[in-house]
C-alpha cells in the first residue's frame, strides 16, 4: 500500500499575521536542503514581500475555468499529481472551488494529493474552522461563509500557530503591508479592532492547546505511559459530598490562579450500589461552585474510592490532587488508614497530594446510606475475623487452665471476644463467635477437659448464659445497624425530594440537569426521558444523558432500560446501568414526575410565546389605528380639498392655480401611499410574514431608485462601481433606503445636502446616510427604531414614526443591520450593513483576489479596478464583466 503524505498546516490567529509568508519561508529552507518541492497554489494578494518569496520556487500552472462569462483560475490537481513532487504548497485550505471543479472544496483536493503520497503544506485562519463560526460572528459581527471541518485540521500531522500581538498587526496594516492604503482606515476601525484581534488570538491559542492535549493523550496511550507529565497544571479536587467540599474547591481555585492556564476538575467518587452517601443539596451546590470558578464536575463510579480517584487523575494527566482532612473520629482509623492517606501513599512521585484542613475535621462522617453490607465491607470482614479467629487465639493464649482456675473467668473472656465480634460485624459474626466459643469452652475448659461432656451443672448454666448473651448482643447490634441504615436512607431520600421540590418552586426547567441529577443519585450509566406517540404507538427519546467519557447504552424504548418508571400513558423515565430494588422507586417516581412536569412546562412556554406574539400583533394593530387617525386624515383632507376646489363651478381657476391644486393632490396621494405602505410593512414585520427573496444585486441599481421621493439636489450620492454585489431583496432594500434618506432629509438643514456613501468591508457592504441635523443622544439611539416613535418636537402629519422601524426590520430580514452613529461635527449617520452574496448564490472570487474581498473572508479588499470588476462579475449570477 502506497505511503500517505503528511499534512502540515500553518494556523493563523487573524488575517495578515503572515501564515503564507511563513509557509514560503519553510519552502525555501526545504529547497535549500534539496527537497523536491513545487508551489501548487499560493495567493500573494499583491503583497510585495510575499511575491518576492515566490521567486526561485517551481510553480505549477493554474487551471482556467469559465463560469458565467467569466474566467477564473484554480489549482490544477491533475498537473500536480502528474508532476508527483515530494512536497506541494497549497494555500487557503478553507477555499471553495469555482463551480465546475472536480471537488467542491480545496481541502478535498489536498486529500487527493495526500492519498498519492505527496506531502502538503497549507494555511488556514482560525476564523475559518467550522466549530468556531458562531463564536467568530459574535466577536467580529462577520459570518464566515467558507469553513473547513475541524476534523480536517485536527488530522494534520503538524500544526504550527502563526501569531502576532494586536498592536504589531495593527502597525503592519498601518504601514500598508497587508492592504491598500485606501482600505486601512476602515479595516482598523472595524474588523481589526484591538478587542477583536485579542479574542481571535485567544481562540487560536485555546484551540491549539486542545490539539496539543489530544496529541499528548494519544502519545501516552500508544506508549503505555501512566505516569503524569507535568506539561500543564491540572488539579483534581476529591469530593465526598460533605460540607467541606466548598472549602476544597476554593483552595484549588487559589492554587490554579497562581499558574496560568491551570485547570480544575472536581471528582465525586460513588459506589455503584444505590443511593449515594452524599448530600444531594451539597453536591449540587459544589457542582455550581466549581463551574462558576471555571472548572468542571465529574461523577465517577468506583467501589474502591482511592483507586478510582487516582485512575481518574492519571487519565486526565493531572499533577495535583486536593483532598480534605478526614472527618472520621480517631477510633474509626482502626478499620483502615482512610482515603487521604491511601491516595498519598499510592500516588507515587508523579502526583502531589494536598491535604486541606477544614472545620469538619474529626466530627464524624455521618450516617452512610449505601445498601449492601449495612455495616460496610471492612467492618464485616473484621467481624468475621474476630468471630472465627478470636476464640481460637484466646484458647491458645490461655493454654492449659491452671488448677483451681475459675471457669466463670474463662467464660467472661470468651464473652468479651464474642461481644467485640458482634459489635464489629453484626449478627452472623456474633453468632459464629458464640458457637465457636461454646464448643471451645466445653472441650478445653469445662471439666472433664478434652471431652464433649460437662460434669458440673453450673458450667452448663454458664455456657448457656454465655451463648444467650452473645446472641442478644449480636441481635441488638444488627437491629441498630438496620435502624441506622434506614434512618440514613430516609434522610438521603428526604434531601433529594426537598431538592426536587425546591427546583420546582424556583422554576428551574432544565430537563438535562434533572436527568443528570437522577443518573448521579442512583449511580446509573444513562438516564433518558421517553415519550410515546399515541397514534403510532412508538417510543422516542426526548432527552438523554450519560456518564462523560464512557460508551453508554442508548435508550430508545423501555426494552433498552434496566429500570423504567411510567408517568401517565405516554411518558416514561428510563435508566440503564443496573437493576434497582423496589424501595428506590419512591424517589425515582418523584424524578419521573418532575421530568414530565418540566417537559410540559417547556411546551407550555413555547405555546405562551406563540400566544404572546399573537397578542403583540393585536396590540400593534390597535396602536396603528390609534396612531394614524390624524396622520391618514391629513393627506386625505388635502386631496379632498384639492379635488373639491377643481370641481367647483363658481370659481374660475387659472392654469397656474389648477397646477398648484393638482400638485397638492399628487403630494397628498404620495404621502398617503407612503403612510399606508409603512403601515402594511410594519404589520408584516410584526406578524413575521416578511419572506425576502435574497439574490445578488448591485447597490447602484437600487439606491438611485430609492431617492425618487426626495427633491433633486438634497442628496449627494456616491456609490462606487467597484463594490461587490450584496445579498438582498431589491424591494425591501429600496424601501429601507428610501425611509432612511427621507428621515435624514427631514432633519438636515436646507442648505446642507444629505450624503449617501457606500464602501466594502470584509464580507459586508456598508451604506452610510449622513445628515447634519441636530443629532440624537446616545440614550435615544435605540428608541428611534421603535414603532410610533418621533424624536424631538416633530409635528403631527410628518409621519407616524414607522420609517426607521420598518427600515431596520427589513434590514434584519435580509440578514443585515441598521444602526445610528454620531456624525463628526454634528448630526446623525445611519449605517446600513448588508452581507455580500453567499457561495450558494454565486461562485467564489478568483484566486488572484485578496481574501478581504472574498464572501467569507474578513478584511478589506486590495485596490485595483480590474480585480474589483472581476470579483464583481463573480459575485452576481448572470453578471457581465465590466
Amino acid at each position: 500500500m502506497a505511503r500517505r503524505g503528511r499534512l502540515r498546516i500553518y494556523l493563523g490567529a487573524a488575517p495578515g499575521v503572515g501564515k503564507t509568508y511563513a509557509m514560503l519561508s519553510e519552502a525555501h529552507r526545504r529547497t535549500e536542503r534539496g527537497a523536491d518541492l513545487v508551489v501548487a497554489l499560493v495567493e500573494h494578494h499583491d503583497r510585495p514581500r510575499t511575491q518576492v518569496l515566490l521567486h526561485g520556487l517551481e510553480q505549477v500552472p493554474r487551471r482556467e475555468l469559465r463560469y458565467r462569462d467569466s474566467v477564473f483560475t484554480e489549482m490544477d490537481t491533475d498537473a500536480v499529481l502528474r508532476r508527483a513532487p515530494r512536497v506541494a504548497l497549497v494555500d487557503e485550505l478553507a477555499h471553495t472551488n469555482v463551480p465546475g471543479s472536480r471537488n467542491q472544496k480545496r481541502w478535498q483536493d489536498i486529500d487527493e494529493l495526500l492519498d498519492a503520497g505527496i506531502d502538503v503544506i497549507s494555511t488556514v485562519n482560525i476564523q475559518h474552522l467550522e466549530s468556531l463560526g458562531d463564536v467568530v460572528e459574535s466577536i467580529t459581527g462577520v459570518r464566515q461563509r467558507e469553513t473547513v471541518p475541524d476534523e480536517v485540521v485536527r488530522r494534520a500531522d503538524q500544526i504550527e500557530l502563526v501569531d502576532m500581538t494586536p498592536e504589531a498587526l495593527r502597525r503592519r496594516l498601518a504601514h500598508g503591508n497587508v492592504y491598500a492604503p485606501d482600505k486601512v482606515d476602515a479595516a482598523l476601525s472595524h474588523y481589526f479592532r484591538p478587542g477583536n484581534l485579542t479574542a481571535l488570538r485567544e481562540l487560536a491559542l485555546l484551540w491549539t492547546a486542545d490539539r496539543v492535549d489530544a496529541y499528548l493523550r494519544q502519545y501516552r496511550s500508544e506508549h503505555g505511559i501512566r505516569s503524569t507529565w507535568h506539561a500543564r497544571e491540572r488539579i483534581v479536587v476529591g469530593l465526598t459530598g460533605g460540607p467541606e467540599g466548598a472549602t476544597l474547591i476554593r483552595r484549588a481555585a487559589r492554587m490554579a490562579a497562581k499558574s496560568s492556564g491551570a485547570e480544575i476538575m472536581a471528582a465525586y467518587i460513588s459506589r455503584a450500589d444505590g443511593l449515594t452517601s452524599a448530600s444531594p443539596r451539597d453536591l449540587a451546590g459544589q457542582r455550581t461552585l466549581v463551574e462558576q470558578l471555571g472548572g468542571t464536575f465529574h461523577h465517577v463510579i468506583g467501589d474502591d474510592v482511592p483507586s478510582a480517584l487516582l485512575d481518574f487523575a492519571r487519565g486526565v494527566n493531572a499533577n495535583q490532587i486536593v483532598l480534605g482532612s478526614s472527618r472520621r473520629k480517631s477510633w474509626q482509623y482502626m478499620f483502615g488508614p482512610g482515603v487521604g492517606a491511601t491516595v498519598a501513599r499510592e500516588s507515587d512521585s508523579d502526583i502531589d497530594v494536598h491535604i486541606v484542613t477544614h472545620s469538619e475535621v474529626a466530627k464524624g462522617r455521618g450516617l452512610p446510606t449505601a445498601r449492601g453490607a449495612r455495616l460496610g465491607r471492612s467492618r464485616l470482614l473484621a467481624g468475621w475475623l474476630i468471630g472465627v479467629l478470636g476464640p481460637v487465639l484466646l484458647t491458645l493464649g490461655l493454654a492449659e487452665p491452671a488448677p483451681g482456675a475459675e471457669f466463670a473467668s474463662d467464660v467472661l473472656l470468651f464473652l468479651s471476644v464474642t461481644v467485640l465480634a458482634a459489635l464489629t460485624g453484626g449478627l452472623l459474626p456474633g453468632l459464629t463467635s458464640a458457637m465457636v466459643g461454646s464448643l471451645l469452652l466445653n472441650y478445653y475448659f469445662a471439666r472433664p477437659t478434652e471431652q464433649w461432656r460437662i460434669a458440673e451443672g453450673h458450667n452448663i448454666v454458664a455456657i448457656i448464659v454465655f451463648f444467650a448473651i452473645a446472641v442478644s448482643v449480636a441481635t441488638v447490634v444488627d437491629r441498630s445497624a438496620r435502624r441506622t441504615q434506614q434512618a440514613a436512607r430516609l434522610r438521603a431520600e428526604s434531601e433529594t425530594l426537598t431538592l426536587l421540590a425546591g427546583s420546582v418552586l424556583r422554576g428551574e426547567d432544565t430537563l438535562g440537569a434533572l436527568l443528570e441529577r437522577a443518573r448521579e443519585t442512583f449511580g446509573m450509566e444513562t438516564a433518558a426521558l421517553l415519550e410515546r406517540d399515541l397514534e403510532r404507538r412508538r417510543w422516542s427519546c426526548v432527552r438523554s444523558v450519560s456518564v462523560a467519557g464512557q460508551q453508554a447504552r442508548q435508550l430508545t424504548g423501555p426494552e433498552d432500560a434496566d429500570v423504567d418508571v411510567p408517568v401517565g400513558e405516554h411518558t416514561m423515565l428510563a435508566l440503564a446501568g443496573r437493576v434497582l430494588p423496589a424501595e428506590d422507586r419512591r424517589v425515582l417516581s418523584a424524578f419521573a414526575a418532575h421530568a414530565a412536569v418540566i417537559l410540559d412546562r417547556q411546551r407550555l412556554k413555547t405555546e405562551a410565546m406563540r400566544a404572546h406574539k399573537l397578542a403583540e400583533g393585536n396590540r400593534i394593530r390597535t396602536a396603528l389605528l390609534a396612531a394614524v387617525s390624524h396622520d391618514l386624515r391629513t393627506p386625505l383632507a388635502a386631496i379632498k380639498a384639492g379635488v373639491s376646489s377643481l370641481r367647483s363651478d363658481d370659481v374660475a381657476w387659472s392654469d397656474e392655480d389648477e397646477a398648484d391644486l393638482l400638485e397638492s393632490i399628487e403630494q397628498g396621494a404620495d404621502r398617503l401611499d407612503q403612510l399606508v405602505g409603512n403601515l402594511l410593512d410594519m404589520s408584516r414585520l410584526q406578524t413575521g410574514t416578511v419572506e425576502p427573496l435574497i439574490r445578488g444585486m448591485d447597490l447602484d441599481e437600487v439606491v438611485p431608485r430609492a431617492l425618487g421621493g426626495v427633491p433633486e439636489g438634497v442628496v449627494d450620492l456616491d456609490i462606487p462601481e467597484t463594490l461587490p454585489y450584496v445579498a438582498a431583496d431589491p424591494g425591501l432594500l429600496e424601501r429601507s433606503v428610501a425611509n432612511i434618506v427621507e428621515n435624514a432629509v427631514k432633519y438636515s438643514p436646507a442648505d446642507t445636502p444629505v450624503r449617501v456613501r457606500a464602501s466594502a468591508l470584509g464580507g459586508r457592504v456598508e451604506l452610510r446616510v449622513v445628515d447634519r441635523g441636530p443629532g440624537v443622544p446616545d440614550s435615544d439611539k435605540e428608541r428611534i427604531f421603535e414603532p410610533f416613535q418621533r424624536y424631538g418636537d416633530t409635528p403631527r402629519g410628518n409621519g407616524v414614526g414607522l420609517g426607521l422601524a420598518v427600515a431596520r426590520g427589513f434590514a434584519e430580514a435580509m440578514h443585515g443591520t441598521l444602526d445610528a452613529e454620531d456624525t463628526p461635527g454634528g448630526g446623525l449617520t445611519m449605517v446600513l450593513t448588508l452581507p455580500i452574496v453567499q457561495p450558494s448564490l454565486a461562485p467564489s472570487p478568483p484566486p488572484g483576489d485578496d481574501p478581504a474581498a472574498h464572501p467569507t473572508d474578513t478584511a478589506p479588499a486590495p485596490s485595483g479596478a480590474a480585480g474589483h470588476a472581476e470579483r464583481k462579475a463573480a459575485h452576481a449570477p448572470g453578471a457581465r464583466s465590466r
Side-chain angles (χ1 to χ4, degrees):
M1 184 176 179
R3 161 192 173 274
R4 179 176 170 84
R6 296 175 61 84
L7 175 61
R8 178 171 182 170
I9 295 178
Y10 285 90
L11 177 65
V17 294
K19 62 186 184 300
T20 303
Y21 190 94
M23 179 179 67
L24 291 173
S25 299
E26 174 65 17
H28 279 282
R29 286 191 293 270
R30 296 196 181 199
T31 302
E32 291 172 359
R33 296 196 297 265
D36 180 18
L37 181 145
V38 300
V39 177
L41 188 143
V42 167
E43 303 287 4
H44 55 73
H45 305 306
D46 297 327
R47 296 167 185 167
R49 296 187 179 183
T50 306
Q51 288 176 306
V52 169
L53 285 179
L54 285 170
H55 298 328
L57 298 176
E58 178 185 350
Q59 300 188 47
V60 177
R62 300 187 183 190
R63 178 189 178 193
E64 292 187 351
L65 294 170
R66 180 172 295 276
Y67 181 76
R68 302 216 173 174
D69 299 328
S70 298
V71 177
F72 308 98
T73 61
E74 291 287 2
M75 180 177 71
D76 194 338
T77 307
D78 292 328
V80 179
L81 291 173
R82 287 193 300 269
R83 169 65 177 78
R86 178 66 176 175
V87 183
L89 269 59
V90 185
D91 206 2
E92 296 187 359
L93 181 67
H95 174 75
T96 300
N97 293 329
V98 173
S101 302
R102 177 162 56 187
N103 295 313
Q104 181 182 6
K105 304 289 289 187
R106 184 167 292 166
W107 63 264
Q108 295 170 328
D109 295 332
I110 291 176
D111 259 355
E112 290 192 26
L113 301 182
L114 295 173
D115 289 338
I118 300 173
D119 294 344
V120 177
I121 304 177
S122 187
T123 64
V124 70
N125 279 335
I126 190 68
Q127 69 265 24
H128 292 298
L129 295 182
E130 195 169 81
S131 66
L132 300 179
D134 294 337
V135 180
V136 172
E137 183 180 12
S138 66
I139 294 171
T140 64
V142 177
R143 181 65 181 181
Q144 302 300 320
R145 303 301 177 187
E146 280 190 343
T147 58
V148 58
D150 289 43
E151 185 58 30
V152 173
V153 183
R154 290 184 183 276
R155 286 200 306 261
D157 299 280
Q158 296 182 46
I159 299 177
E160 183 170 334
L161 178 64
V162 183
D163 188 20
M164 181 177 288
T165 63
E167 295 78 11
L169 181 54
R170 285 170 61 84
R171 283 196 302 270
R172 177 178 287 185
L173 263 71
H175 293 160
N177 295 334
V178 180
Y179 300 116
D182 59 333
K183 303 296 180 183
V184 171
D185 291 339
L188 291 174
S189 61
H190 291 83
Y191 188 85
F192 289 88
R193 293 193 297 268
N196 288 3
L197 297 178
T198 302
L200 290 175
R201 189 185 189 198
E202 183 179 16
L203 278 179
L205 291 171
L206 290 175
W207 193 92
T208 308
D210 289 341
R211 173 66 174 77
V212 172
D213 284 343
Y215 173 75
L216 183 60
R217 287 194 298 269
Q218 178 183 354
Y219 180 85
R220 284 164 51 85
S221 176
E222 291 175 352
H223 292 76
I225 300 173
R226 288 187 52 81
S227 60
T228 301
W229 287 2
H230 296 248
R232 184 177 182 181
E233 291 292 331
R234 288 185 175 87
I235 304 173
V236 172
V237 184
L239 300 179
T240 64
E244 77 282 359
T247 302
L248 304 184
I249 293 171
R250 293 190 180 94
R251 180 71 178 101
R254 292 195 297 271
M255 294 168 58
K258 298 177 182 178
S259 177
S260 178
E263 295 183 40
I264 306 174
M265 288 166 281
Y268 171 67
I269 314 295
S270 67
R271 293 185 175 90
D273 59 356
L275 286 172
T276 61
S277 58
S279 165
R281 182 186 293 107
D282 289 339
L283 270 183
Q286 290 162 20
R287 174 195 289 272
T288 302
L289 176 61
V290 73
E291 291 174 351
Q292 289 175 348
L293 295 175
T296 55
F297 185 91
H298 304 269
H299 183 198
V300 181
I301 297 175
D303 290 329
D304 189 347
V305 175
S307 297
L309 182 60
L310 286 171
D311 288 342
F312 172 80
R314 292 191 176 104
V316 298
N317 199 28
N319 51 16
Q320 298 188 61
I321 295 178
V322 176
L323 298 172
S325 296
S326 178
R327 288 186 284 126
R328 296 193 300 176
K329 296 183 180 297
S330 56
W331 63 268
Q332 292 177 304
Y333 283 96
M334 65 180 293
F335 304 113
V339 173
T342 305
V343 170
R345 184 181 67 248
E346 298 179 0
S347 62
D348 300 326
S349 60
D350 55 349
I351 300 180
D352 296 333
V353 180
H354 304 268
I355 305 297
V356 179
T357 59
H358 49 84
S359 59
E360 302 295 322
V361 174
K363 290 186 177 180
R365 294 183 55 86
L367 299 174
T369 60
R371 283 188 311 277
R374 298 183 181 89
L375 299 175
R377 296 180 181 176
S378 59
R379 286 188 62 178
L380 276 177
L381 179 60
W384 279 105
L385 291 176
I386 296 173
V388 175
L389 298 180
V392 176
L393 295 177
L394 181 60
T395 301
L396 295 176
L398 294 176
E400 283 293 329
E406 292 293 335
F407 181 74
S409 301
D410 298 330
V411 171
L412 291 176
L413 291 175
F414 275 87
L415 181 60
S416 62
V417 173
T418 300
V419 170
L420 180 60
L423 290 175
T424 304
L427 181 62
L428 291 179
L431 292 178
T432 302
S433 179
M435 186 177 300
V436 173
S438 300
L439 294 176
L440 293 176
L441 283 172
N442 182 11
Y443 191 79
Y444 289 104
F445 297 95
R447 294 185 179 88
T449 60
E450 298 183 0
Q451 294 183 26
W452 295 108
R453 63 189 184 87
I454 302 175
E456 300 175 1
H458 62 87
N459 289 344
I460 297 176
V461 174
I463 291 177
I464 293 175
V465 172
F466 160 76
F467 190 83
I469 293 176
V471 171
S472 301
V473 170
T475 303
V476 170
V477 171
D478 183 73
R479 185 172 298 173
S480 176
R482 288 174 180 270
R483 297 293 182 265
T484 300
Q485 190 270 341
Q486 291 173 358
R489 178 181 177 79
L490 291 173
R491 185 187 66 180
E493 289 184 2
S494 64
E495 288 184 353
T496 301
L497 295 174
T498 301
L499 195 62
L500 277 177
S503 64
V504 173
L505 294 176
R506 290 189 298 269
E508 297 178 0
D509 56 357
T510 305
L511 185 59
L514 178 73
L515 294 177
E516 179 66 19
R517 187 175 297 163
R519 187 195 65 77
E520 291 180 355
T521 300
F522 296 97
M524 307 295 280
E525 296 178 0
T526 305
L529 185 65
L530 307 178
E531 190 174 34
R532 182 168 56 182
D533 187 340
L534 295 180
E535 295 181 359
R536 299 182 181 180
R537 312 294 294 178
R538 296 173 59 183
W539 290 94
S540 61
C541 180
V542 178
R543 183 67 188 274
S544 176
V545 296
S546 303
V547 179
Q550 294 187 13
Q551 189 67 26
R553 192 191 315 173
Q554 298 299 319
L555 302 179
T556 58
E559 65 277 1
D560 300 327
D562 294 317
V563 182
D564 58 83
V565 179
V567 185
E569 297 182 357
H570 60 281
T571 308
M572 177 178 293
L573 177 63
L575 297 96
R578 61 189 178 84
V579 178
L580 293 179
E583 56 203 39
D584 276 347
R585 297 183 70 88
R586 281 198 312 271
V587 179
L588 196 57
S589 298
F591 275 103
H594 191 36
V597 169
I598 289 179
L599 183 62
D600 291 341
R601 183 185 299 161
Q602 290 177 345
R603 291 174 175 171
L604 289 174
K605 185 180 293 185
T606 302
E607 293 294 330
M609 292 177 62
R610 188 178 295 114
H612 176 74
K613 289 183 178 180
L614 293 176
E616 184 69 14
N618 291 331
R619 187 189 68 81
I620 290 294
R621 292 185 182 91
T622 303
L624 277 170
L625 295 176
V628 304
S629 59
H630 179 274
D631 296 294
L632 284 177
R633 289 179 178 176
T634 300
L636 282 174
I639 295 172
K640 175 66 175 177
V643 172
S644 298
S645 298
L646 290 174
R647 296 189 60 182
S648 175
D649 297 331
D650 55 352
V651 178
W653 301 103
S654 65
D655 293 342
E656 183 178 354
D657 292 336
E658 287 184 359
D660 290 340
L661 289 173
L662 290 174
E663 182 180 2
S664 66
I665 293 173
E666 183 178 16
Q667 290 177 351
D670 291 341
R671 186 61 185 162
L672 184 62
D673 179 69
Q674 183 183 16
L675 288 172
V676 173
N678 279 338
L679 292 174
L680 293 176
D681 291 339
M682 180 53 60
S683 177
R684 292 167 60 201
L685 288 171
Q686 293 292 338
T687 56
T689 58
V690 176
E691 297 182 0
L693 180 61
I694 304 296
R695 66 175 181 85
M697 54 178 295
D698 194 350
L699 278 182
D700 57 16
E701 298 176 0
V702 176
V703 175
R705 295 202 305 266
L707 304 183
V710 297
E712 294 185 3
V714 300
V715 176
D716 179 14
L717 181 62
D718 181 14
I719 305 293
E721 292 186 357
T722 56
L723 285 177
Y725 281 78
V726 297
D729 181 303
L732 299 185
L733 179 58
E734 181 179 344
R735 180 62 64 87
S736 297
V737 175
N739 286 353
I740 297 170
V741 173
E742 289 180 6
N743 182 77
V745 170
K746 182 191 306 181
Y747 289 98
S748 190
D751 57 346
T752 305
V754 173
R755 299 178 60 193
V756 179
R757 299 286 186 268
S759 61
L761 179 63
R764 56 188 178 177
V765 170
E766 286 188 350
L767 181 71
R768 292 177 170 266
V769 180
V770 183
D771 68 60
R772 293 291 180 178
V776 176
D778 291 340
S779 58
D780 291 330
K781 280 189 173 62
E782 285 299 316
R783 189 172 63 87
I784 61 176
F785 293 105
E786 297 178 3
F788 310 110
Q789 295 293 327
R790 295 185 182 88
Y791 178 71
D793 55 354
T794 304
R796 301 282 301 186
N798 285 355
V800 294
L802 289 176
L804 293 181
V806 169
R808 171 175 274 192
F810 283 170
E812 292 176 349
M814 297 182 291
H815 309 292
T817 59
L818 178 61
D819 299 294
E821 298 179 357
D822 291 329
T823 301
L828 189 67
T829 298
M830 291 291 177
V831 183
L832 175 63
T833 303
L834 296 170
I836 63 177
V837 292
Q838 301 177 4
S840 60
L841 299 180
S844 301
D849 281 346
D850 189 275
H854 198 280
T856 61
D857 278 327
T858 53
S863 60
H868 282 295
E870 186 179 2
R871 182 185 69 248
K872 199 165 189 177
H875 278 310
R880 300 188 305 273
S881 300
R882 294 181 181 269

